[in-house]
PDB file of all heavy atoms in Angstrom:
ATOM      1  N   ALA A 145      13.584  29.927  -5.922  1.00 97.00           N
ATOM      2  CA  ALA A 145      12.358  30.004  -6.714  1.00 97.00           C
ATOM      3  C   ALA A 145      11.385  28.892  -6.345  1.00 97.00           C
ATOM      4  O   ALA A 145      10.168  29.118  -6.249  1.00 97.00           O
ATOM      5  CB  ALA A 145      12.696  29.923  -8.202  1.00 97.00           C
ATOM      6  N   VAL A 146      11.902  27.678  -6.119  1.00 97.00           N
ATOM      7  CA  VAL A 146      11.033  26.570  -5.698  1.00 97.00           C
ATOM      8  C   VAL A 146      10.431  26.861  -4.330  1.00 97.00           C
ATOM      9  O   VAL A 146       9.236  26.635  -4.093  1.00 97.00           O
ATOM     10  CB  VAL A 146      11.809  25.239  -5.697  1.00 97.00           C
ATOM     11  CG1 VAL A 146      10.980  24.137  -5.032  1.00 97.00           C
ATOM     12  CG2 VAL A 146      12.199  24.833  -7.107  1.00 97.00           C
ATOM     13  N   ARG A 147      11.257  27.383  -3.429  1.00 97.00           N
ATOM     14  CA  ARG A 147      10.750  27.693  -2.092  1.00 97.00           C
ATOM     15  C   ARG A 147       9.627  28.724  -2.162  1.00 97.00           C
ATOM     16  O   ARG A 147       8.589  28.592  -1.500  1.00 97.00           O
ATOM     17  CB  ARG A 147      11.889  28.197  -1.200  1.00 97.00           C
ATOM     18  CG  ARG A 147      11.427  28.549   0.213  1.00 97.00           C
ATOM     19  CD  ARG A 147      12.574  28.893   1.141  1.00 97.00           C
ATOM     20  NE  ARG A 147      13.374  27.728   1.449  1.00 97.00           N
ATOM     21  CZ  ARG A 147      14.598  27.502   0.993  1.00 97.00           C
ATOM     22  NH1 ARG A 147      15.170  28.387   0.189  1.00 97.00           N
ATOM     23  NH2 ARG A 147      15.243  26.411   1.314  1.00 97.00           N
ATOM     24  N   ALA A 148       9.795  29.755  -2.969  1.00 97.00           N
ATOM     25  CA  ALA A 148       8.747  30.765  -3.104  1.00 97.00           C
ATOM     26  C   ALA A 148       7.487  30.157  -3.712  1.00 97.00           C
ATOM     27  O   ALA A 148       6.363  30.492  -3.307  1.00 97.00           O
ATOM     28  CB  ALA A 148       9.250  31.917  -3.974  1.00 97.00           C
ATOM     29  N   ALA A 149       7.669  29.240  -4.661  1.00 96.00           N
ATOM     30  CA  ALA A 149       6.515  28.629  -5.320  1.00 96.00           C
ATOM     31  C   ALA A 149       5.734  27.723  -4.375  1.00 96.00           C
ATOM     32  O   ALA A 149       4.505  27.805  -4.301  1.00 96.00           O
ATOM     33  CB  ALA A 149       6.979  27.836  -6.548  1.00 96.00           C
ATOM     34  N   VAL A 150       6.439  26.846  -3.640  1.00 96.00           N
ATOM     35  CA  VAL A 150       5.713  25.898  -2.783  1.00 96.00           C
ATOM     36  C   VAL A 150       4.979  26.613  -1.660  1.00 96.00           C
ATOM     37  O   VAL A 150       3.960  26.116  -1.160  1.00 96.00           O
ATOM     38  CB  VAL A 150       6.654  24.807  -2.215  1.00 96.00           C
ATOM     39  CG1 VAL A 150       7.237  23.958  -3.334  1.00 96.00           C
ATOM     40  CG2 VAL A 150       7.761  25.394  -1.340  1.00 96.00           C
ATOM     41  N   ASN A 151       5.465  27.769  -1.268  1.00 96.00           N
ATOM     42  CA  ASN A 151       4.760  28.522  -0.234  1.00 96.00           C
ATOM     43  C   ASN A 151       3.457  29.128  -0.742  1.00 96.00           C
ATOM     44  O   ASN A 151       2.645  29.611   0.047  1.00 96.00           O
ATOM     45  CB  ASN A 151       5.670  29.609   0.335  1.00 96.00           C
ATOM     46  CG  ASN A 151       6.622  29.069   1.396  1.00 96.00           C
ATOM     47  OD1 ASN A 151       6.201  28.455   2.367  1.00 96.00           O
ATOM     48  ND2 ASN A 151       7.917  29.267   1.185  1.00 96.00           N
ATOM     49  N   GLN A 152       3.238  29.092  -2.063  1.00 95.00           N
ATOM     50  CA  GLN A 152       1.976  29.561  -2.623  1.00 95.00           C
ATOM     51  C   GLN A 152       1.010  28.423  -2.926  1.00 95.00           C
ATOM     52  O   GLN A 152      -0.164  28.670  -3.209  1.00 95.00           O
ATOM     53  CB  GLN A 152       2.232  30.361  -3.916  1.00 95.00           C
ATOM     54  CG  GLN A 152       2.833  31.734  -3.690  1.00 95.00           C
ATOM     55  CD  GLN A 152       2.870  32.519  -4.996  1.00 95.00           C
ATOM     56  OE1 GLN A 152       3.919  32.681  -5.605  1.00 95.00           O
ATOM     57  NE2 GLN A 152       1.714  33.018  -5.421  1.00 95.00           N
ATOM     58  N   LEU A 153       1.502  27.184  -2.882  1.00 94.00           N
ATOM     59  CA  LEU A 153       0.667  26.038  -3.229  1.00 94.00           C
ATOM     60  C   LEU A 153      -0.183  25.604  -2.043  1.00 94.00           C
ATOM     61  O   LEU A 153       0.291  25.550  -0.905  1.00 94.00           O
ATOM     62  CB  LEU A 153       1.529  24.864  -3.684  1.00 94.00           C
ATOM     63  CG  LEU A 153       2.441  25.078  -4.899  1.00 94.00           C
ATOM     64  CD1 LEU A 153       3.235  23.823  -5.183  1.00 94.00           C
ATOM     65  CD2 LEU A 153       1.634  25.494  -6.116  1.00 94.00           C
ATOM     66  N   LYS A 154      -1.419  25.239  -2.315  1.00 90.00           N
ATOM     67  CA  LYS A 154      -2.295  24.628  -1.322  1.00 90.00           C
ATOM     68  C   LYS A 154      -2.645  23.229  -1.801  1.00 90.00           C
ATOM     69  O   LYS A 154      -2.865  23.008  -2.984  1.00 90.00           O
ATOM     70  CB  LYS A 154      -3.563  25.462  -1.138  1.00 90.00           C
ATOM     71  CG  LYS A 154      -3.335  26.827  -0.515  1.00 90.00           C
ATOM     72  CD  LYS A 154      -4.647  27.584  -0.349  1.00 90.00           C
ATOM     73  CE  LYS A 154      -4.405  28.968   0.264  1.00 90.00           C
ATOM     74  NZ  LYS A 154      -5.672  29.740   0.388  1.00 90.00           N
ATOM     75  N   GLY A 155      -2.694  22.310  -0.855  1.00 85.00           N
ATOM     76  CA  GLY A 155      -2.973  20.927  -1.193  1.00 85.00           C
ATOM     77  C   GLY A 155      -1.827  20.035  -0.767  1.00 85.00           C
ATOM     78  O   GLY A 155      -1.080  20.355   0.170  1.00 85.00           O
ATOM     79  N   VAL A 156      -1.694  18.906  -1.446  1.00 81.00           N
ATOM     80  CA  VAL A 156      -0.601  17.973  -1.137  1.00 81.00           C
ATOM     81  C   VAL A 156       0.251  17.816  -2.385  1.00 81.00           C
ATOM     82  O   VAL A 156      -0.264  17.762  -3.498  1.00 81.00           O
ATOM     83  CB  VAL A 156      -1.138  16.607  -0.673  1.00 81.00           C
ATOM     84  CG1 VAL A 156      -1.842  16.739   0.663  1.00 81.00           C
ATOM     85  CG2 VAL A 156      -2.085  15.995  -1.698  1.00 81.00           C
ATOM     86  N   PHE A 157       1.564  17.739  -2.180  1.00 90.00           N
ATOM     87  CA  PHE A 157       2.436  17.661  -3.336  1.00 90.00           C
ATOM     88  C   PHE A 157       3.813  17.146  -2.942  1.00 90.00           C
ATOM     89  O   PHE A 157       4.289  17.354  -1.830  1.00 90.00           O
ATOM     90  CB  PHE A 157       2.585  19.031  -4.018  1.00 90.00           C
ATOM     91  CG  PHE A 157       3.025  20.133  -3.079  1.00 90.00           C
ATOM     92  CD1 PHE A 157       4.365  20.338  -2.792  1.00 90.00           C
ATOM     93  CD2 PHE A 157       2.081  20.953  -2.478  1.00 90.00           C
ATOM     94  CE1 PHE A 157       4.768  21.343  -1.924  1.00 90.00           C
ATOM     95  CE2 PHE A 157       2.470  21.971  -1.605  1.00 90.00           C
ATOM     96  CZ  PHE A 157       3.813  22.167  -1.326  1.00 90.00           C
ATOM     97  N   ALA A 158       4.406  16.441  -3.884  1.00 92.00           N
ATOM     98  CA  ALA A 158       5.835  16.139  -3.857  1.00 92.00           C
ATOM     99  C   ALA A 158       6.351  16.527  -5.232  1.00 92.00           C
ATOM    100  O   ALA A 158       5.758  16.142  -6.249  1.00 92.00           O
ATOM    101  CB  ALA A 158       6.083  14.664  -3.594  1.00 92.00           C
ATOM    102  N   ILE A 159       7.403  17.312  -5.293  1.00 96.00           N
ATOM    103  CA  ILE A 159       7.905  17.779  -6.584  1.00 96.00           C
ATOM    104  C   ILE A 159       9.413  17.601  -6.668  1.00 96.00           C
ATOM    105  O   ILE A 159      10.106  17.546  -5.651  1.00 96.00           O
ATOM    106  CB  ILE A 159       7.548  19.263  -6.856  1.00 96.00           C
ATOM    107  CG1 ILE A 159       8.295  20.193  -5.881  1.00 96.00           C
ATOM    108  CG2 ILE A 159       6.050  19.493  -6.805  1.00 96.00           C
ATOM    109  CD1 ILE A 159       8.165  21.664  -6.253  1.00 96.00           C
TER     110      ILE A 159
END
Side-chain angles (χ1 to χ4, degrees):
V146 170
R147 180 173 290 108
V150 297
N151 278 306
Q152 287 188 255
L153 301 179
K154 293 181 181 178
V156 293
F157 54 85
I159 67 170

